[in-house]
Amino acid sequence: MPIDLDRVRAATPGVDQVAHLNNAGAALAPRVVTEAVVEHLWRESAIGGYEAAAEAAERTDAVYASIARLLGASAQEIAVVDSATRAWDMVVYGFPFRAGDRVLTARAEYASNAIALLQLARRHGIEIVLIDDDEHGQLDLDHLEAELERGAALVSLTHVPTNGGLVNPAAEVGARCRAHGAFFVLDACQSAGQLPLDVTELGCDALSATGRKYLRGPRGTGLLYVRGDRIGTIEPPMLDLHSAEWTGPDRYEVRGDARRFETWECSHAARLGLGAAVDHALEVGVADGWQRLRDLAEQLRRELRAIERVTVHDKGLVRGGIVTFTVDGVSASAVQGALSRAGVNTSTTTPSHTLQDGRGLPATVRASVHYYNTGDELDRLLDVVSAV
Ligand SMILES: Cc1ncc(COP(=O)(O)O)c(C=O)c1O
């Protein structure tokens, strides 16, 4: 069903202020999200933080069920943390690596994950193997298969990179990992909320995502899925009295569900906001949103290509809402600055955030569209870009 644009825009106060094309940075939150956060903060100030948490306990618990619904998982397989990076870290740093283990990664890998893998390589003597792209610019499945046949303990894939519209073939990667018994971690930071995700179809053992991007949640939130039968195999790198129980002077027991990857202290307000964002995404319909934002992004690419001096850089067989481009003779930050002065939010990409991209791209302008954007907003961007 097509998105009811008037309805979703009426539910999003920020659309009256800016043309927000920085959804891959942090999207505009719907009113229900801000209200959930602020109302809880008011309750904390009115009755006390612990008391407000107790009062909201059922609603906080429901956040796990909502995330589970979004991903086709069960609530026991979900942890709520404070960023996508921490979610990913908890699993990968907790993975029982042995010296010589091979870890397969791809060109779209996000800098924080790549840095962590380098640290783990120094710590455990694991070998990091880079899977190349195919002729479409997505992960090369034949190369992956060949490396899986040589043996791999873990495969790490960034579903949608920070620097472009590419959607990597995650389900095809998952199927191959399953067949070879490799642990598959999917960084869904940019894809969660952007396109439908089902952990069974994806075949992933773990999936990490952030709240603030396409899910439209508050900053400082992240989520983690770990497949039920894998939870017990990953001991979190750090424990506390929430993730484990102190059962004797020299003993502790790590809890059995995915909340072993959380810490006791957290922002309850942000957590409730994340739940409201996920509920909103489910209500709007992720598949319908995906359809609309893809169409908008393709329209933007087409119209940008028609402007002299503009080069669009997105690649891949499937492309989503992130549109990256450069303008000959004008730096990405100058273009972004001109857009910002005209009330159009975009961002720029930094080559070191996807260092193994392989194309030698300079910084690019990143215009990332969401389903609530309009053709008029794209026109505002195009007018500025034509004139810089
Ligand atoms: C692909 C990808 N993975 C991971 C992250 C890290 O997310 P967070 O800042 O929530 O840790 C980002 C952030 O931009 C990202 O684009």
Side-chain angles (χ1 to χ4, degrees):
M1 215 172 39
I3 293 282
D4 182 343
L5 190 61
D6 290 342
R7 189 150 170 249
V8 295
R9 284 180 74 81
T12 307
V15 299
D16 298 333
Q17 312 286 322
V18 286
H20 192 70
L21 298 169
N22 189 15
N23 296 289
L28 295 177
R31 185 178 290 103
V32 282
V33 168
T34 311
E35 280 171 359
V37 175
V38 171
E39 274 166 21
H40 189 75
L41 291 175
W42 279 121
R43 287 306 285 162
E44 286 185 347
S45 87
I47 64 168
Y50 285 33
E51 293 73 11
E55 188 181 78
E58 248 177 60
R59 278 178 288 131
T60 309
D61 224 42
V63 174
Y64 294 83
S66 296
I67 297 170
R69 230 183 104 205
L70 179 80
L71 301 177
S74 81
Q76 289 70 36
E77 296 172 314
I78 303 299
V80 180
V81 293
D82 51 15
S83 72
T85 301
R86 276 298 167 269
W88 190 94
D89 284 345
M90 290 308 273
V91 167
V92 179
Y93 278 91
F95 190 83
F97 286 117
R98 285 174 310 192
D101 275 351
R102 282 159 40 91
V103 172
L104 312 185
T105 177
R107 291 203 172 276
E109 192 72 274
Y110 188 66
S112 299
N113 305 348
I115 292 166
L117 287 176
L118 287 173
Q119 189 186 40
L120 287 164
R122 285 184 194 167
R123 209 175 263 180
H124 299 294
I126 58 175
E127 185 193 348
I128 303 166
V129 178
L130 180 67
I131 304 298
D132 219 331
D133 283 344
D134 66 12
E135 70 273 26
H136 307 290
Q138 63 176 16
L139 168 134
D140 183 336
L141 292 165
D142 292 337
H143 187 196
L144 174 74
E145 180 67 29
E147 293 297 344
L148 281 168
E149 271 164 22
R150 295 180 60 201
L154 185 143
V155 173
S156 167
L157 179 70
T158 294
H159 198 185
V160 170
T162 184
N163 72 335
L166 167 71
V167 181
N168 259 320
E172 288 82 346
V173 171
R176 284 162 179 77
C177 290
R178 292 256 78 77
H180 290 275
F183 192 98
F184 177 30
V185 189
L186 183 65
D187 175 340
C189 186
Q190 294 287 3
S191 55
Q194 181 174 175
L195 54 119
L197 298 175
D198 180 294
V199 289
T200 307
E201 278 171 27
L202 291 165
C204 56
D205 296 290
L207 176 153
S208 54
T210 204
R212 71 182 183 279
K213 298 182 188 288
Y214 277 89
L215 278 173
R216 310 181 62 194
R219 295 204 64 173
T221 56
L223 60 93
L224 173 65
Y225 155 82
V226 182
R227 212 176 83 202
D229 59 357
R230 292 290 208 174
I231 294 172
T233 69
I234 312 279
E235 178 148 338
M238 290 158 298
L239 293 171
D240 72 356
L241 49 61
H242 169 80
S243 52
E245 189 184 350
W246 198 10
T247 50
D250 57 357
R251 284 193 308 278
Y252 64 87
E253 248 175 63
V254 186
R255 59 187 292 167
D257 61 12
R259 296 190 202 188
R260 62 167 51 194
F261 301 107
E262 299 179 344
T263 50
W264 186 84
E265 177 56 355
C266 65
S267 165
H268 290 252
R271 224 167 242 203
L272 290 165
L274 176 65
V278 171
D279 288 341
H280 189 75
L282 291 168
E283 193 196 315
V284 171
V286 180
D288 296 337
W290 171 229
Q291 184 63 53
R292 178 173 166 81
L293 73 86
R294 279 180 82 182
D295 290 349
L296 281 172
E298 277 307 319
Q299 179 187 335
L300 182 57
R301 289 186 191 105
R302 236 182 1 257
E303 290 173 359
L304 278 167
R305 280 194 203 103
I307 303 175
E308 222 184 310
R309 297 190 300 141
V310 171
T311 309
V312 174
H313 296 287
D314 303 315
K315 56 178 187 162
L317 271 178
V318 180
R319 285 183 301 275
I322 302 181
V323 178
T324 48
F325 63 95
T326 46
V327 183
D328 283 353
V330 191
S331 72
S333 59
V335 177
Q336 189 239 345
L339 286 163
S340 169
R341 286 190 293 280
V344 181
N345 290 349
T346 58
S347 61
T348 58
T349 63
T350 307
S352 69
H353 289 185
T354 40
L355 192 73
Q356 304 207 87
D357 176 86
R359 289 177 292 170
L361 288 180
T364 67
V365 186
R366 184 179 71 176
S368 41
V369 303
H370 215 318
Y371 60 73
Y372 59 74
N373 288 125
T374 63
D376 283 353
E377 290 175 333
L378 303 188
D379 289 344
R380 282 174 65 184
L381 177 142
L382 293 160
D383 286 347
V384 175
V385 172
S386 305
V388 286

